[in-house]
Amino acid sequence: MKKVLIGGGSGQIGRYVVDRLVKAGHHVIIATRSEARQSIVIQFMEKNPEKFRTIPPQGCISWKDIKKNGLPLGTDVVINLTGHTIGALGLWTRGLRDKIISSRIGPTSDLVAAIKSSAEPPECFISASAVGIYENGNSKVFTELDDPTPTGKSTYFTKLCKKWEETSQLPSEIPTRLVNARFGVVLGHDTEPMTLLLPVTMATSIPTTMGNGTQPFPWIHMDDAVSAVIAMMDQETGLSGPVNVVAPNVNTNTDLAHALGKACICVPDKPIPTPSGVFRLLYGTERAENILLDSP
């Protein structure tokens, strides 16, 4: 059994990781923004048993406490899944862009400081990142050993992910093993992509692509994403550095549309392209360009 501190434990991926860890008998503590937030999280978990099938009996700790007092005594593993959602519909405002950055960099920096000041540093620090670190408009299949931006073409998302990973780095004298989990689009029945795409596909019986649909679509099922995080905890795996958390096959947005059409028993055999202007309207030009070019 391990003592695990998890930031973002009430989020899209985090609540499933918490569920798996508690069921496996681990001692789980969720980091939250404030004492008031702690009770809100617990109440939310109790009122939504379909999302939190197991209530972590060890409860929560505030980020304020972590900054003041460091990690809970005896913490074996720190998992950082914090970050404001990127995929929700809405205007791509300066405020939203700043919130996406600060909600990732701030907590990551706090956890690194707590690990560095710990008398007994944890054995493992798993810090989330994303495949958005890789260059847009490049047909290359990237591995963890590759330069993410070989032509130097940077976007908001490549810069965000690079900064995120840079912030998570630990000094060489700290024995904690660092893993940067570069998540693809995480798919599950209640994840953002599916809560938007499934109802539309079922209502219209027409599978659609984002633009021409040729852009790569690196994805991972929620169950596999959680299993990957659990595997990263295992000292015997020895995983460290960046790890691409994606399905093994290279799929496109058209492949996703075909799969959705088949699941929803749609009539058209060929998905219908959604004009790129629709995504620019829904997401804003900068975010839409990343969706349409390469990065999900």
Side-chain angles (χ1 to χ4, degrees):
M1 183 187 78
K2 297 182 184 296
K3 189 171 185 177
V4 183
L5 172 67
I6 177 167
S10 59
Q12 180 172 273
I13 301 174
R15 63 176 183 258
Y16 286 96
V17 173
V18 168
D19 181 70
R20 186 84 67 87
L21 289 172
V22 172
K23 285 182 176 178
H26 296 291
H27 181 129
V28 180
I29 301 173
I30 298 176
T32 59
R33 288 190 294 271
S34 65
E35 292 182 3
R37 178 66 178 170
Q38 292 181 27
S39 61
I40 292 173
V41 169
I42 294 296
Q43 289 175 19
F44 178 78
M45 294 164 75
E46 291 174 343
K47 292 179 180 179
N48 294 272
E50 75 283 0
K51 293 183 177 181
F52 291 92
R53 293 177 293 278
T54 305
I55 305 298
Q58 298 80 19
C60 306
I61 184 173
S62 72
W63 287 101
K64 182 179 179 180
D65 287 338
I66 292 174
K67 291 181 72 171
K68 181 180 179 180
N69 302 314
L71 301 177
L73 185 65
T75 298
D76 298 302
V77 177
V78 176
I79 301 175
N80 176 28
L81 299 173
T82 57
H84 185 73
T85 181
I86 292 177
L89 296 177
L91 294 177
W92 191 234
T93 62
R94 179 61 177 270
L96 177 58
R97 293 197 298 271
D98 290 346
K99 186 173 185 179
I100 287 171
I101 294 173
S102 62
S103 64
R104 287 163 172 76
I105 304 305
T108 302
S109 178
D110 291 341
L111 289 174
V112 167
I115 292 172
K116 289 166 63 175
S117 65
S118 177
E120 296 182 6
E123 61 190 42
C124 181
F125 176 35
I126 301 167
S127 190
S129 182
V131 295
I133 197 171
Y134 296 112
E135 193 172 76
N136 270 342
N138 195 320
S139 59
K140 174 182 175 61
V141 177
F142 288 95
T143 73
E144 294 89 342
L145 300 178
D146 293 317
D147 178 356
T149 53
T151 69
K153 188 186 339 181
S154 294
T155 66
Y156 169 88
F157 294 102
T158 59
K159 293 175 183 177
L160 166 64
C161 293
K162 283 184 178 180
K163 179 66 174 177
W164 201 1
E165 292 190 11
E166 289 170 358
T167 304
S168 71
Q169 299 304 303
L170 296 167
S172 58
E173 62 268 21
I174 302 294
T176 301
R177 177 171 53 88
L178 169 65
V179 186
N180 292 116
R182 293 176 176 172
F183 289 99
V185 180
V186 181
L187 298 181
H189 72 279
D190 60 350
T191 60
E192 275 181 355
M194 300 309 289
T195 55
L196 175 65
L197 294 172
L198 268 178
V200 172
T201 305
M202 293 181 70
T204 62
S205 294
I206 300 174
T208 60
T209 62
M210 299 176 180
N212 61 26
T214 60
Q215 65 271 42
F217 189 79
W219 67 281
I220 184 78
H221 189 274
M222 179 63 78
D223 288 346
D224 294 324
V226 173
S227 294
V229 172
I230 302 302
M232 292 171 192
M233 287 175 48
D234 191 346
Q235 286 292 89
E236 293 184 5
T237 67
L239 286 173
S240 64
V243 176
N244 291 335
V245 187
V246 294
N249 297 323
V250 179
N251 297 112
T252 66
N253 182 246
T254 296
D255 294 328
L256 172 67
H258 273 299
L260 282 173
K262 185 176 180 180
C264 297
I265 317 178
C266 294
V267 176
D269 293 326
K270 185 177 181 180
I272 298 175
T274 301
S276 59
V278 173
F279 292 96
R280 291 188 175 92
L281 179 63
L282 293 175
Y283 291 99
T285 300
E286 184 177 39
R287 190 163 42 159
E289 287 300 324
N290 281 270
I291 293 172
L292 297 167
L293 285 174
D294 217 5
S295 181

